[in-house]
Structure formats: C-alpha cells, structure tokens
Amino acid sequence: MLYGFCSNTRIPSIQSTKTPFSATLLPPPPPFTPSFAQSHKWVSFRVSPCISLRASNRNTRSCRNSAAVQVVGMSSAEDSRTGLKRKKLAVFVSGGGSNFCSILEASLQGSIFGDIVVLVTNKRGCGGAEFAREKGIPVILSPRTKDEADGLSPTDLVAALRGFEVDFVLLAGYLKLIPAELIQAYPKSILNIHPSLLPAFGGKGYYGMKVHKAVIASGARFSGPTIHFVDEHYDTGRILAQRVVPVSPNDTPEDLAARVLQEEHRLYVEVVEAICEDRITWRQDGVPLIRRKENLDEFR
C-alpha cells in the first residue's frame, strides 16, 4: 500500500504496479487512513503524509541477470549514531534501467542510506518502468507531448516530486533535457551518468551506442563513465566522479559499452552512497568533491 502527500494537484500519469491508471491527488485525510476508489482501470486515491515503499522482511526483490535481494526489513528514517536522515530518491529512465536496478539493489541491501520512492520516464513501456511497477515503485510519465498527452508538465512534475518528498533526482539513461523548473526546484540535487569521460563525447546527440562508436572512431585510448550535476544543457554540469576504462585495439562498440556499463553500475552506487551520507562538499571555485567514508578529511 502506498502512502504519500501531495498538494491538490491533478497528476494524470502516476501508474499503479499492475495496470496503468490516472490519479487525481486529493486533499489528505487524517494520517494513516488511505481510502481508495476504483472504477475499471481508473483510480482516485487519498494519501497521508508518510510514504512507505519498503517491503516486509518476507519479500524478495530481484533484478534482471542478478541474484535475488532479500529485504531485511524497513530501515529507520534516521541513523541514531550519525543523525543522518534517510534520503528519498527519484530515478529517471528512458530504457532498460540497469543503473536504476543497481541502485535499487544497493538500497535494499543497506549500502545506500536512501530509498527510491518514485520512477519518472518518458516511455511508459520501457524496461525500467516495467521493472519499477513489478517492484511496487510508482511510475510517473513526463514530459507531456503530442504522443503522450497525459505526461506531466514541468510544473506538475515538480509538484509530484515534492509530494513524494524527494531529496535527490538521479538520471539513469533519461534522454530528455531536464526542464529549468526542475533544476531550479532541486539545485545541486540532480545527478546524471554519461558513458564517456566528459567533456569528451558529450552533448546533444551523444548517448548510448553512439558514444562508444565515436570513442572508437576517434582512436581514444581511454573511456569510462562520468557522473555530473545537471544544469540547463546536455552533459555540461559540474563533474562529480569518473572511472577510467581502457579502450582495447580490437574493441567493437558493443565490447566497450559492456565494460563501461559495468563501471557505471559500481560508480553510480558509490556516488549515491555518498550523497545519501552528506559526503559531498563544494570547493570555493564551484567544483564538487566526495569525502572518503573512512576519513572525511580526505577526498576520493
């Protein structure tokens, strides 16, 4: 069962875990008294000011081509030793969502002190969205387009994320430009992962296999993933972390893509661990740095 809080905003694209529906978020009732009204595939629901998407300790979650993850139980919203608040994460995808899957696994295993509370996609039938529905994670369609008339506008998307009390937005293969309204609403709180060592092979039109083909064609000896903060343009935000992957002389784009993707999964989990533990600091010149978990006076 889902609990949440939103203002009286019409959200036509939040989808259930079973079948798509349109939802109007109504004024909240007294806490912990959700009421549901269902008619065919369309559902209106009332939500109270608390979200719980964690499974019980009897549930098992698994990702494609990976071992099943046993959910130990609901984690505390605050670490009593450090005083850290457990973070709420929104993930944006346009495709299969393998990075989304890796982050979800790490969250359920306990290495990330945060929970994915909502997934946003511009393709309602993509693999990442289907996987989220299977795992009971709400799915929002955005942006609104001619082909997707029930997608959320930027203003409604911000309202929806506010309703889920999202702390950080993680782009994981989301191919749409992030609207200025969202960037302004979440300053220094939106991350993207790109499959090259930015600023090389980045910008509009550089995504997926196109990046790896360009890297090989250039003769570059190294590639690898970059995680950066998001600004109003494609792939130009401040770089937070990178991982170097050698390019072999006989690599095909598919070979290189597979090795880079492995490092993407590792790097994104490490970075999300850091942001959820408040280990990001900013130099005076605006460069973000990650403090080491073992020694906060050192940087990775």
Side-chain angles (χ1 to χ4, degrees), residues 194 196 198-207 211 228 233-236:
H194 183 78
S196 74
L198 293 175
F201 308 105
K204 188 174 183 179
Y206 278 102
Y207 61 89
V211 173
H228 64 93
H233 307 286
Y234 286 108
D235 304 326
T236 59

Side-chain angles (χ1 to χ4, degrees), residues 3-4 27-35 46-50:
Y3 302 98
F32 308 110
T33 57
S35 61
R46 294 179 181 270
V47 288
S48 63
C50 175

Side-chain angles (χ1 to χ4, degrees), residues 175-227:
L175 301 182
K176 292 293 185 180
L177 189 65
I178 298 301
E181 292 91 336
L182 187 58
I183 294 170
Q184 292 165 7
Y186 286 91
K188 295 182 178 179
S189 300
I190 307 176
L191 292 175
N192 180 49
I193 190 162
H194 183 78
S196 74
L197 295 174
L198 293 175
F201 308 105
K204 188 174 183 179
Y206 278 102
Y207 61 89
M209 204 59 66
K210 293 182 179 181
V211 173
H212 306 298
K213 289 179 179 178
V215 169
I216 291 174
S218 75
R221 287 353 186 224
F222 298 95
S223 189
T226 297
I227 294 176

